[in-house]
Amino acid sequence: MTDHSTPPHGVYDLVGVGIGPFNLSLAALCDGVPGLDTLFLDRRPAFSWHPGLLLEGTVLQVPFMADLVTMADPTSRWSYLNYLREHGRLFPFFFSERFHIPRREYDHYCRWVAERLPSCRFGAEVTAVEWDASAEAFAVTHRPSGAPSGGDRDGGREERVLARRVVLGVGTTPVVPEPLRPLLSPAHTGRVLHSADYRTHRAALAGRDDVTVVGAGQSGAEVVLDLLRHQDGEGRGGPYVRWLARTPAFAPMEYSKIGLEHFTPDYVRYFRTLPETVRDRLVREQWQLYKGVSEHTLGEIHDELYERTIGGGRPRADLHPGVEITAVRPVEDSEGRGYVLGCRHTGQGTEFEVRTSAVVAATGYAAVRPACLDPLDKLVDWDARGRYRVGGDYRVALDESVTGALYVQNAEMHTHGVGAPDLTLGAWRAAVILNSAAGRTVLPVPERAAWTTFGAPEPGAPEPGAREAGARAGEAAR
């Protein structure tokens, strides 16, 4: 189902750059909105969500209601429940009594939506976004992915579309500790890698003598668990598994019902009122809200290790929290090549070395400014650290000469808090952007969604309970 014709007036109301879950959510919510012409572009040939970590048995860390649309519009035909109905799987899902769905199924659900939305175009690499003052619109230039610029359409001719609003949803880029970066080269392929590529090299890693996993988040835990399961029943076959992390503990994700209110619009609004230095400190301190491990996965790792002790054995594994890598040097080992990792225990200040055959850096992702934005560089109001200044409606601050609007998704943790990369707020954020772009309330968003009052109460403001009691008293009087 594709229809990418140019709008009759020649200018799109909104063009999305990148089609990950967040821009796909926006595309789904925009679908069918009267008077709104949209186009979403992505250089990949089809939708794909973290393919390197789509391992059997892994599940989303958020409930299925955090799909592309439900938290903003549960009546949308692009909901996960409608996906199940379309695939004849509603009854099996009901009987499974699941709240957290398989990660592979979430990927399949998103592909189902992306392939059917008429506004989504894959295989289209955006090369430039610039402001066309004469047209009072952004000029978005794109070409077929992998094709050189110039030539005819099939050979890679660039196309240019105009848009009054642009939404950047280009995703994040894998982060690797500085000592490991020089080894991310063809000479070390399959031996030093980011967890984003784990599935590609999974079989080879399972055959190594010794594998070190770096990073205490969910991805690191899942790689450790998968490698442990590649050991034989007595723990002798498969690789020796070492787990290193800078965090002081392999800690569970904060998942209490009140703690999760950090992923509500209420907390976003509160966070935005704080000074920049306080916001930056909070993001670092709140690592367990978004970098912890699910309690279930930690339990499975513990159970695997416990099994290895039956009959007096010892697990062929080591877990080292509070450790950072300071240096790496290649060495020859029994398999031809290995690595010595220089490490420092952050609590003790002690330095030590470990030798390993391969390293998997499960060290997360970070937002990176896309090269296609270079033409707008001098028109963006960057903060002192070169980050976007982002408003409450996710609009980027631009030079006053620009009458169009530029929005970002998942590049605003420094201004909106730890919920930025979380799927929970994805549909709500997309609805906020949609309302702002449309200039009207297309989808209502909640004024209050949390029991917690973040920050001090406003002077003179009655407590919610007092307002409700007053309303009831008024009803009784009438």
Side-chain angles (χ1 to χ4, degrees):
M1 182 178 179
T2 57
D3 178 13
H4 305 305
S5 57
T6 304
H9 45 71
V11 182
Y12 285 98
D13 296 299
L14 184 151
V15 167
V17 180
I19 310 177
F22 296 134
N23 258 3
L24 184 59
S25 173
L26 180 59
L29 293 176
C30 287
D31 185 46
V33 174
L36 193 68
D37 294 308
T38 65
L39 176 67
F40 291 80
L41 305 168
D42 195 292
R43 61 181 175 81
R44 297 171 300 174
F47 182 91
S48 181
W49 186 69
H50 295 302
L53 285 169
L54 293 181
L55 305 176
E56 301 83 355
T58 57
V59 298
L60 285 187
Q61 289 182 282
V62 293
F64 72 88
M65 286 178 63
D67 62 11
L68 298 171
V69 295
T70 295
M71 295 299 284
D73 181 10
T75 67
S76 170
R77 67 186 178 119
W78 303 117
S79 71
Y80 170 74
L81 288 179
N82 191 48
Y83 155 83
L84 290 176
R85 185 184 69 170
E86 290 290 311
H87 288 80
R89 299 176 63 230
L90 263 177
F91 273 91
F93 176 74
F94 176 78
F95 293 131
S96 72
E97 297 186 345
R98 289 176 180 266
F99 205 43
H100 294 79
I101 63 176
R103 194 177 295 167
R104 291 173 56 242
E105 185 175 37
Y106 178 77
D107 175 72
H108 188 262
Y109 154 68
C110 288
R111 281 190 282 123
W112 173 76
V113 175
E115 289 167 1
R116 286 159 180 77
L117 278 174
S119 60
C120 291
R121 183 191 300 185
F122 288 89
E125 180 180 6
V126 175
T127 58
V129 178
E130 52 196 321
W131 178 246
D132 186 333
S134 62
E136 294 189 321
F138 293 100
V140 180
T141 303
H142 64 92
R143 65 175 182 232
S145 299
S149 59
D152 58 24
R153 175 66 181 85
D154 294 333
R157 188 184 65 196
E158 291 184 334
E159 293 186 35
R160 185 175 182 267
V161 297
L162 296 175
R164 296 186 180 90
R165 302 159 193 87
V166 171
V167 183
L168 293 177
V170 295
T172 51
T173 300
V175 173
V176 174
E178 192 279 329
L180 290 172
R181 291 173 197 167
L183 302 179
L184 295 176
S185 65
H188 303 276
T189 298
R191 289 178 175 270
V192 179
L193 61 142
H194 191 273
S195 57
D197 299 317
Y198 175 71
R199 193 178 179 196
T200 302
H201 303 285
R202 181 186 187 190
L205 289 166
R208 302 290 184 198
D209 289 340
D210 182 296
V211 178
T212 297
V213 180
V214 182
Q218 183 69 20
S219 298
E222 289 175 357
V223 171
V224 167
L225 180 60
D226 189 61
L227 290 170
L228 287 174
R229 287 174 171 168
H230 277 87
Q231 297 176 352
D232 65 21
E234 297 180 354
R236 289 195 292 267
Y240 190 96
V241 182
R242 185 180 298 100
W243 193 9
L244 307 179
R246 287 189 305 172
T247 54
F250 296 108
M253 182 85 76
E254 168 58 66
Y255 212 76
S256 67
K257 294 179 181 179
I258 297 297
L260 286 176
E261 291 192 343
H262 285 85
F263 301 94
T264 59
D266 306 64
Y267 184 74
V268 172
R269 285 190 283 266
Y270 157 74
F271 188 86
R272 283 186 35 74
T273 68
L274 301 174
E276 181 179 311
T277 54
V278 177
R279 294 198 304 260
D280 289 342
R281 174 175 58 79
L282 279 176
V283 168
R284 293 192 301 270
E285 292 176 350
Q286 293 172 338
W287 61 272
Q288 259 185 275
L289 287 171
Y290 64 103
K291 288 185 177 180
V293 183
S294 78
E295 186 176 341
H296 178 73
T297 305
L298 288 174
E300 289 184 303
I301 291 173
H302 183 276
D303 291 347
E304 288 290 331
L305 298 175
Y306 178 81
E307 285 283 333
R308 308 294 189 264
T309 67
I310 296 174
R314 187 187 185 284
R316 296 184 59 248
D318 274 316
L319 281 62
H320 297 281
V323 170
E324 63 179 359
I325 296 177
T326 58
V328 182
R329 70 176 188 275
V331 294
E332 294 300 315
D333 65 8
S334 60
E335 295 181 327
R337 175 177 292 163
Y339 306 91
V340 172
L341 308 181
C343 303
R344 186 177 73 87
H345 191 279
T346 57
Q348 297 175 327
T350 305
E351 295 188 354
F352 61 97
E353 292 184 339
V354 296
R355 186 160 177 160
T356 189
S357 301
V359 182
V360 180
T363 43
Y365 301 79
V368 176
R369 187 191 312 178
C372 66
L373 210 63
D374 287 349
L376 287 178
D377 182 69
K378 297 190 184 309
L379 295 175
V380 176
D381 184 16
W382 307 104
D383 72 10
R385 297 175 58 180
R387 303 174 298 190
Y388 305 107
R389 298 186 192 275
V390 187
D393 60 355
Y394 296 91
R395 184 168 172 169
V396 174
L398 300 173
D399 186 89
E400 61 182 14
S401 65
V402 179
T403 57
L406 176 68
Y407 301 87
V408 291
Q409 300 217 65
N410 195 15
E412 73 287 349
M413 186 183 286
H414 60 291
T415 58
H416 287 63
V418 294
D422 196 275
L423 295 175
T424 303
L425 284 170
W428 171 81
R429 175 175 52 199
V432 171
I433 294 173
L434 170 56
N435 290 341
S436 175
R440 65 185 191 277
T441 301
V442 177
L443 293 170
V445 293
E447 286 298 317
R448 178 153 189 167
W451 300 118
T452 306
T453 298
F454 297 101
E458 295 182 9
E463 292 296 320
R467 287 196 296 268
E468 293 164 7
R472 288 194 296 269
E475 288 290 334
R478 288 194 293 272

